[in-house]
Amino acid sequence: MMNVYSIEELHQGFKTGQILPENYYQEIWHEAQYQQKRLNAFALMTFDKAQQDLKHAQFQNVLSGIPYVLKDNFNTKGIYTTASSRMLADYLPVYNAHIVDLLEKAECCLIGKASMDELGMGTMNMTALTGPVLNPWNIQRVAGGSSGGCAALVGSGVVPFAIGSDTGDSIRRPAGFCGIVGMKPTWGLISRYGLIPYAASLDTVGAMTRSVKDMSIVLENIAGYDEHDMTSCTKKVPSYYQFLSSDISHLKIAVIKNVYERLTDSRIKEKFMNCVSIFKRLGATIHEVEFPDTYLQALSPVYQIIANGEATSQHACLDGIKYGLQKQGENIDDMIIRTRSQGFHQSIQQRFILGSLALKQENQEKMFRKAQQVRRLIVNSIQDLYRHYDIILTPNGEGIAPFLDEAKQVEYTLVDDFLIVANLAGLPSLTLPCGFVDHMPVAIHIMGRCFEEQTVLNCAHALEKSLSFSQQYCQKEIQHV
């Protein structure tokens, strides 16, 4: 087993010569091959590129020489980018996503593209072209999705961070399942240029790490304005790491009572309430509040209509004519039907059918536009809470990572659905491990106001210091008696 380090430890080790980069990357290479056989988390390994990048690293920047993996829906020039879809199996981009350029500038070393649910549309990482991704804590269970490959590789210790995308919970859900930190920042804080989209009004670029400190370092290096993305924010990026603090005595935290009370597993509820008690002990003001049940129940339908409507429109270009898979037919229409039928997983086709139904002219008013209107009501209700509170706290989900053979039958509950709020409202939110149930990680969900990432990070940092799950990972199964 290789030695596992934080970003800070690697930086200091490289800089002082205590860690020899070439030797360390040889360890990564062997570990990555082992974990690939165990977890099936890579879509593609890029060690030749990583070793070339390493030659140019000066080890002055904190991310210089640091290895990472990238979800396979970010364009990488000259490196296959498939979004784990048969439709894009041979897609070779001619340009980099903006975030790839930023990380190259920071002298990071890309060791691979991570598996994902096809086109980012999934919750368990079961629809990838390369097969399901397994959980590092128990390979009989799923890693979660859609950024499951990223979560598994960070959670198994292969890399200290990974870059993913989050449309409904695609970073935070698998991060919780794999016992690591996952953050979806404010919509627009990080450029989406070069990201293969799912739903543009919901898609957010984010990261996964094993500690809040590492998250603050990564976020600081990938945030900021990009002239190629007109939705990216022009605000100056704060020094998240420099201003990281565990003093949260001034914070007002709202605990959503009618979410956590719906937890059916008393052990998960106990872990959650332990976190609430810690926040109280640290001096934060805690109030239990209720989110309107009507809006809670509307979260999933609103999300499904908007996300799949946007996805249907944005992926209409995948028709077998311009690029990607092409199946011959008797005419153009027949060719497109054959191509899309064979190129997309059945679950993706179902999403496109729902999206097409919502976008159909006679349905737009009563489905798509109605969903947008209800989205606004949900956002207004959340903004009302933020007039009185700095942070909103909920469990990260109903349960632990399901077994592989049960994953397709798992139904989301209102506890799970609450993570969607951060996407509908464009809010920054973070998943932090807070314990174990049945030897599997469980997590808490911390959500803040738009562009107040520092508050979210500080809140998470304070809690993390009071718990014992920072920098945890699992390289092989532990035999439990």
Side-chain angles (χ1 to χ4, degrees):
M1 297 290 110
M2 67 174 277
N3 292 317
V4 176
Y5 304 99
S6 69
I7 291 174
E8 284 183 302
E9 290 168 340
L10 278 174
H11 174 59
Q12 288 302 318
F14 289 157
K15 199 172 179 181
T16 61
Q18 290 180 317
I19 300 174
L20 297 177
E22 293 79 8
N23 293 352
Y24 176 67
Y25 271 78
Q26 282 301 313
E27 286 186 34
I28 293 179
W29 171 239
H30 293 301
E31 185 69 19
Q33 290 178 305
Y34 167 71
Q35 295 297 346
Q36 176 63 1
K37 291 176 183 176
R38 178 174 167 254
L39 305 174
N40 192 39
F42 282 103
L44 175 72
M45 293 188 189
T46 58
F47 268 86
D48 288 343
K49 174 175 169 48
Q51 289 181 322
Q52 287 300 315
D53 292 343
L54 188 62
K55 292 177 181 177
H56 303 294
Q58 300 297 310
F59 308 115
Q60 298 304 309
N61 182 313
V62 68
L63 287 182
S64 180
I66 304 297
Y68 78 104
V69 294
L70 190 68
K71 189 174 180 180
D72 199 27
N73 56 349
F74 289 92
N75 281 314
T76 42
K77 184 177 180 179
I79 299 173
Y80 286 109
T81 301
T82 71
S84 286
S85 175
R86 180 172 284 105
M87 184 66 78
L88 293 172
D90 295 323
Y91 173 49
L92 201 62
V94 296
Y95 71 101
N96 278 335
H98 180 67
I99 195 167
V100 176
D101 284 336
L102 286 179
L103 291 170
E104 283 190 355
K105 185 178 179 182
E107 300 175 353
C108 290
C109 300
L110 177 67
I111 70 161
K113 306 291 290 289
S115 174
M116 55 184 281
D117 276 301
E118 183 174 358
L119 299 176
M121 302 181 196
T123 58
M124 298 295 172
N125 226 133
M126 297 286 288
T127 63
L129 180 61
T130 50
V133 175
L134 309 179
N135 195 298
W137 296 90
N138 184 340
I139 59 172
Q140 303 302 316
R141 296 179 183 269
V142 298
S146 63
S147 305
C150 291
L153 291 167
V154 174
S156 61
V158 175
V159 287
F161 82 96
I163 300 298
S165 62
D166 190 308
T167 309
D169 59 12
S170 298
I171 285 175
R172 293 158 294 157
R173 178 79 61 211
F177 282 170
C178 293
I180 60 173
V181 180
M183 188 168 190
K184 182 213 87 69
T186 303
W187 188 85
L189 185 72
I190 303 170
S191 170
R192 289 179 291 114
Y193 177 72
L195 168 69
I196 296 173
Y198 174 1
S201 75
L202 302 167
D203 290 343
T204 312
V205 177
M208 297 177 176
T209 62
R210 288 189 297 273
S211 73
V212 177
K213 271 190 177 182
D214 281 357
M215 182 62 72
S216 67
I217 292 169
V218 173
L219 186 61
E220 190 175 320
N221 279 271
I222 61 177
Y225 175 70
D226 171 24
E227 64 181 8
H228 295 105
D229 180 359
M230 293 298 102
T231 65
S232 64
C233 179
T234 56
K235 285 177 177 283
K236 183 180 178 181
V237 178
S239 179
Y240 298 118
Y241 178 75
Q242 180 183 344
F243 295 111
L244 198 62
S245 170
S246 57
D247 179 8
I248 60 167
S249 57
H250 60 290
L251 292 185
K252 294 181 178 179
I253 299 176
V255 177
I256 309 296
K257 183 179 180 182
N258 57 328
V259 171
Y260 86 77
E261 283 189 341
R262 282 184 160 92
L263 285 169
T264 55
D265 191 323
S266 60
R267 299 168 298 173
I268 295 178
K269 186 180 290 187
E270 181 185 339
K271 303 296 181 188
F272 176 74
M273 294 311 296
N274 178 54
C275 293
V276 174
S277 298
I278 290 171
F279 281 129
K280 286 180 180 177
R281 193 171 70 243
L282 293 173
T285 301
I286 306 286
H287 289 155
E288 289 193 349
V289 301
E290 296 214 351
F291 189 69
D293 259 5
T294 305
Y295 296 158
L296 268 181
Q297 292 168 15
L299 285 173
S300 182
V302 165
Y303 172 79
Q304 293 295 337
I305 291 170
I306 292 175
N308 293 321
E310 291 184 12
T312 300
S313 173
Q314 290 175 326
H315 291 299
C317 61
L318 298 178
D319 52 15
I321 297 174
K322 304 171 190 70
Y323 52 83
L325 181 73
Q326 184 182 92
K327 295 295 179 180
Q328 296 304 310
E330 295 178 3
N331 51 49
I332 291 278
D333 288 343
D334 185 47
M335 186 199 76
I336 292 174
I337 290 170
R338 288 173 182 265
T339 297
R340 289 174 71 87
S341 296
Q342 296 179 45
F344 294 124
H345 189 276
Q346 185 179 3
S347 65
I348 307 302
Q349 295 179 45
Q350 291 169 349
R351 288 174 185 259
F352 287 159
I353 290 169
L354 174 58
S356 298
L357 182 67
L359 294 178
K360 203 171 181 180
Q361 189 170 359
E362 58 265 36
N363 293 336
Q364 283 187 17
E365 285 296 333
K366 62 184 179 183
M367 288 186 71
F368 194 77
R369 287 176 185 158
K370 181 68 72 177
Q372 290 177 313
Q373 290 166 351
V374 177
R375 176 183 186 175
R376 172 46 54 191
L377 294 174
I378 292 168
V379 172
N380 288 346
S381 183
I382 281 289
Q383 297 298 353
D384 286 342
L385 281 177
Y386 281 122
R387 290 191 179 96
H388 307 286
Y389 300 98
D390 304 297
I391 291 291
I392 292 174
L393 206 63
T394 61
N396 199 57
E398 176 68 46
I400 60 175
F403 286 106
L404 198 63
D405 57 357
E406 298 172 355
K408 291 181 180 179
Q409 285 73 49
V410 171
E411 292 186 8
Y412 269 25
T413 68
L414 296 183
V415 180
D416 299 307
D417 289 345
F418 195 81
L419 270 64
I420 295 169
V421 170
N423 299 86
L424 294 177
L427 301 168
S429 67
L430 181 147
T431 289
L432 186 77
C434 66
F436 285 81
V437 167
D438 291 337
H439 311 297
M440 294 299 295
V442 294
I444 191 167
H445 183 241
I446 302 168
M447 188 168 71
R449 298 188 190 97
C450 282
F451 298 109
E452 293 192 8
E453 274 75 11
Q454 191 72 63
T455 303
V456 174
L457 289 166
N458 288 353
C459 189
H461 181 54
L463 178 60
E464 184 181 58
K465 287 179 71 174
S466 298
L467 298 170
S468 57
F469 309 111
S470 177
Q471 294 297 344
Q472 67 179 4
Y473 58 92
C474 185
Q475 292 176 313
K476 60 180 181 178
E477 274 70 43
I478 301 168
Q479 297 300 319
H480 301 288
V481 180

